[in-house]
Amino acid sequence: IRIVMPSALILLIPFTAMEFTNEVNWTVGDFIVASILLFAAGLSYDLLSSKAKKAYTRSSIAVAVLCCLLLAWTELAVGIF
């Protein structure tokens, strides 16, 4: 539940934006892919940080997972790379 709830709250942002503007046009498939990405990133962080004992190691893991998540999200969203 520690991973699912933050993922769901993040996905509420585009869902809410779709109600107020036509700039955000997500389909069901977009929400599925985004939820898989967010869940995988949260699960990766949880598994990797459980092995780390020091705070700076957990911080480094968080930055690495976040960078990977943002890279994948950007690539899927607009195909920059």
Side-chain angles (χ1 to χ4, degrees), residues 4-5 8 12 16-18 24 27 29 31 33 38 41-42 47 61 63-64 67 72:
V4 173
M5 290 305 292
L12 280 175
T16 305
M18 285 175 45
V24 180
T27 63
F31 281 102
V33 169
L38 290 170
L47 291 174
I61 291 169
V63 168
C67 286

Side-chain angles (χ1 to χ4, degrees), residues 41-52:
L43 188 63
S44 298
Y45 173 75
D46 194 43
L47 291 174
L48 292 172
S49 68
S50 67
K51 305 284 186 203

Side-chain angles (χ1 to χ4, degrees), residues 6-19:
S7 298
L9 289 175
I10 291 171
L11 287 173
L12 280 175
I13 295 169
F15 183 75
T16 305
M18 285 175 45
E19 298 296 319

Side-chain angles (χ1 to χ4, degrees), residues 2-80:
R2 288 186 320 193
I3 299 168
V4 173
M5 290 305 292
S7 298
L9 289 175
I10 291 171
L11 287 173
L12 280 175
I13 295 169
F15 183 75
T16 305
M18 285 175 45
E19 298 296 319
F20 295 109
T21 182
N22 291 331
E23 300 284 326
V24 180
N25 295 321
W26 281 32
T27 63
V28 174
D30 295 330
F31 281 102
I32 291 170
V33 169
S35 63
I36 291 170
L37 279 174
L38 290 170
F39 184 76
L43 188 63
S44 298
Y45 173 75
D46 194 43
L47 291 174
L48 292 172
S49 68
S50 67
K51 305 284 186 203
K53 298 199 185 307
K54 300 196 189 257
Y56 68 84
T57 307
R58 285 190 297 270
S59 299
S60 299
I61 291 169
V63 168
V65 168
L66 183 62
C67 286
C68 290
L69 171 69
L70 291 177
L71 181 67
W73 193 300
T74 304
E75 177 60 32
L76 288 171
V78 291
I80 287 178

